[in-house]
Structure formats: C-alpha cells, structure tokens
Amino acid sequence: MGFQCGIVGLPNVGKSTLFNALTRTAAAQAANYPFCTIEPNVGDVAVPEPRLNKLAAIAGSAEILPARMQFVDIAGLVKGASKGEGLGNQFLATIREVDAITYVLRCFDDDDITHVDGRIDPIADFEVVETELMLADLESLEKRRANLEKKAKGQDKEAKAALVLVDLALDALREGRPARSLVIDAEDKKAWDGLQLLTSKPVLFVANVDEDAAADGNDYARHVEVRAGEEGAAAVTISAKIEEELAQLADDEQAEYLESLGLREPGLNRLIRTGYDLLGLQTYFTAGPKETRAWTIRRGATAPQAAGVIHTDFEKGFIRAETIAYDHYVSLDGEQGAKEAGKMRLEGKDYVVQDGDVMHFRFNT
C-alpha cells in the first residue's frame, strides 16, 4: 500500500534540501538555479514509530520493519506553469499522481540564494503555486465538460452525475477557491476522485526557516501558520538545512546536535507524522520472533482490509484476527501474558482496526 506526498513550491525554497534529508541521500540535486530537479525524485521514507522497539524487545524479534511513506520531489513551479511555462506541464502531471501536496515555503533571508521574484514572501509564493494548480484544474474540467454534456443529453446516468460534480468544481475554481474547499457526499466520492483535480488533494504547509529560527519559528513562519489555519490545513516549521545535516549524523550525534539547538526531535519526524495523519492513516503491528513490523492502513479499515495489506489472500480467506491492544501487549509482557489475562480478542470481519493493535490473522487459502 503506497502513499505519496508531493513536495512542491517555487524554485530555491528548499524543496530538494528537504527531500535529501527525508531520504538521507543526495539523490535530489540541491542547486541554486531553477529547474535543477528535472525528473521527479521519489524517496521511500520510514515512518517514525517508537512503539516498534518496545514490541520487538518483548517479542524477541530478529528484525524490525517500520511502515513507509513516499515523498516525491517535484521541480519548482513558476508563474505560468499551467500554460507550460518553465517545465510546467511535466510537473503538473506528476502532482496529479500523488495523494497529498506538501507546500514548501521559503521563510528565511539569504542574499546568496536567489528568489525567482526577488523578494521573500511565503504567502505570495503559496498563492502563485496554488493559482497555477487551480488554472490547470480549470483547463482540465473545461476540456471534459463538453463531452460530458453531450453524453448527459443522451441520458447517460454516469455522465449526468459527473457533470454535476464538474460544474460544482468549476464554480468554486472560478471564484478562486480550490476544489478541496467543497464538501462532497460520500456516494459521489469515487466519481469526484476520478476527476483527478490537483486542488482537491489534502495539503500540508512547510515553513522552511533558517537555523536560528528552527526552535521557535519566525514572523514568516507565523504568517504561514495563520494561512494554513485559514485553509484548514496543517503547518510544520522546519529548517531543511538542519534536517539535511542531521540526516548525515549517527543517532547519538543527532541527539547531541538537537539538544544544542533546543530541539526535542528532528523536524522531519513531525513532518512525516503530520503527512501520515493528513492522509488519514494509522498503524497496526505484527510481532513475533522473526520480525516486528508496522503496517499502514486507512482509519476505519476493517480486519480483513488490514489483512489484505499483508497479502490479498489474507483478505480473501479471512477467518478471524487475534488482536491485542498495544498497551496490553506491553504491560502484560507480550502475547502469552495477554492471553492469560484475557486481553487477546478474537475479532471478525466487521471489526474496525484501532491504531496500535497487535494482530495475527487466521485465514483459508
């Protein structure tokens, strides 16, 4: 089950530096000129999960496998990208494939790093990128509307339903509102997702500050937080430069460096957790002598759906799930203690998995 966050923003705001830190590589070239990122870079990132080590220690596991997310570093957009300016068309197509959008906004002053518009204004930067995405959505919807209208006149029920959604989105976009501002009924959600609108995706704001502002932020970052609140989005303040330096240190050196900066944890941990939450994801675990592993599922997933993340056969042949809450697993010293205390539950097909459940599935092939 793959989930992707696309990292977007204007050139030279720190996207590739942030991506380098996320993936602990220099795979994305961080250079001081626009379009240095010509192909989107995809990084597979472990989701920080402190519960894994506790479970593994109790289960005596030989291996620990965290859940993973993907971040896609997409080259800097510029004004006019929706009309193909810069390398716009290529990048807009890439954004269409991700599950959520991370807006990286420059919140630092540095005369040595040029800004494409010659000024530091993170809100204006956001509005430039957001406008280009809205214009791309408008063009996409206007192109498909005529065909849908023709089918709807021929009494095509699906076309009629789609046309209602298209017109709803067009009205919002023409008023300068992103598609995500609309409330869509549950029965229309599949058709809505099928429109593949760039501005319907959930968004996360990253205020990229300098090293001195990493702990407490700065005025730029506070403006970003306010705007994120107005958009109903989350905001994370990070110094991408610090995060890139941290990524190159051993764990004990990281802790010392963080302490010297007055930080409790890497900003990337907050970013990944926030992205995880943004996508409506949660974690369940499997634990045993061979491995302890974190698995990613959507909130509200049933036991068979959770089993299907391991293997489709598990979902098809699902019988039941032996389930222990994380707190019970830890406090009762593992599976045997939980069994003896009556804290292992046998859950059926309708069980909605809770975050932190430790599970073992029974199934028929």
Side-chain angles (χ1 to χ4, degrees), residues 59 91 104 123 146 157 281 319 333 346 359:
F91 304 141
V104 179
I123 305 306
K157 289 184 179 180
L281 306 178
I319 300 173
D333 202 31
L346 298 181
M359 308 186 80

Side-chain angles (χ1 to χ4, degrees), residues 1 3 10 52 57 79 111 237-238 258 295 307 324 331 340 342:
M1 183 177 269
F3 296 95
L10 296 182
L52 266 175
K79 197 175 293 184
D111 293 337
T237 297
I238 284 178
L258 285 168
W295 300 90
I324 305 169
S331 64
E340 292 170 358

Side-chain angles (χ1 to χ4, degrees), residues 43-286:
D44 201 36
V45 180
V47 177
E49 180 48 85
R51 294 175 293 185
L52 266 175
N53 288 332
K54 288 185 179 179
L55 291 173
I58 293 169
S61 304
E63 193 173 7
I64 298 175
L65 298 170
R68 309 195 73 83
M69 279 185 64
Q70 287 187 336
F71 282 82
V72 184
D73 179 27
I74 300 166
L77 293 171
V78 293
K79 197 175 293 184
S82 60
K83 301 299 181 185
E85 289 296 320
L87 298 173
N89 290 336
Q90 180 180 344
F91 304 141
L92 290 169
T94 305
I95 297 170
R96 215 174 287 282
E97 301 302 317
V98 301
D99 300 298
I101 295 176
T102 302
Y103 284 108
V104 179
L105 304 172
R106 178 170 171 171
C107 294
F108 62 89
D109 296 300
D110 189 332
D111 293 337
D112 294 329
I113 300 178
T114 60
H115 188 288
V116 289
D117 290 332
R119 50 78 184 129
I120 309 302
D121 185 342
I123 305 306
D125 289 356
F126 160 70
E127 288 172 348
V128 167
V129 179
E130 179 90 324
T131 297
E132 293 305 320
L133 300 187
M134 285 197 286
L135 288 171
D137 279 347
L138 264 172
E139 184 179 2
S140 168
L141 291 170
E142 286 169 349
K143 280 181 178 177
R144 71 175 74 184
R145 192 188 184 285
N147 187 46
L148 282 171
E149 191 172 31
K150 187 186 295 184
K151 288 183 177 179
K153 285 178 180 176
Q155 304 307 310
D156 184 315
K157 289 184 179 180
E158 285 188 10
K160 281 184 176 182
L163 190 61
V164 170
L165 295 176
V166 165
D167 285 341
L168 198 64
L170 282 170
D171 287 345
L173 292 163
R174 286 167 181 158
E175 292 170 2
R177 293 183 291 121
R180 65 177 176 274
S181 66
L182 295 168
V183 177
I184 304 300
D185 293 338
E187 60 266 28
D188 294 326
K189 192 68 170 65
K190 186 176 180 181
W192 176 253
D193 291 343
L195 297 178
Q196 285 195 302
L197 299 178
L198 300 172
T199 62
S200 68
K201 300 177 187 297
V203 297
L204 166 64
F205 288 66
V206 173
N208 182 21
V209 300
D210 58 26
E211 290 91 329
D212 293 338
D216 300 314
N218 57 23
D219 286 341
Y220 293 134
R222 282 183 273 280
H223 288 146
V224 169
E225 288 172 4
V226 170
R227 185 54 183 269
E230 292 170 355
E231 297 286 332
V236 178
T237 297
I238 284 178
S239 168
K241 189 66 177 172
I242 287 176
E243 299 303 321
E244 191 175 35
E245 291 170 0
L246 275 171
Q248 299 172 42
L249 299 176
D251 289 348
D252 56 340
E253 294 174 314
Q254 277 194 21
E256 189 176 327
Y257 185 37
L258 285 168
E259 188 176 350
S260 72
L261 296 168
L263 299 172
R264 288 183 298 176
E265 64 173 346
L268 293 183
N269 286 11
R270 288 183 287 114
L271 171 59
I272 296 167
R273 284 200 304 268
T274 305
Y276 207 67
D277 187 59
L278 182 69
L279 290 169
L281 306 178
Q282 66 179 22
T283 302
Y284 80 88
F285 304 99
T286 53

Side-chain angles (χ1 to χ4, degrees), residues 338-350:
K339 277 183 179 178
E340 292 170 358
K343 295 299 182 181
M344 174 185 278
R345 311 184 310 273
L346 298 181
E347 301 289 2
K349 292 182 178 180
D350 295 332

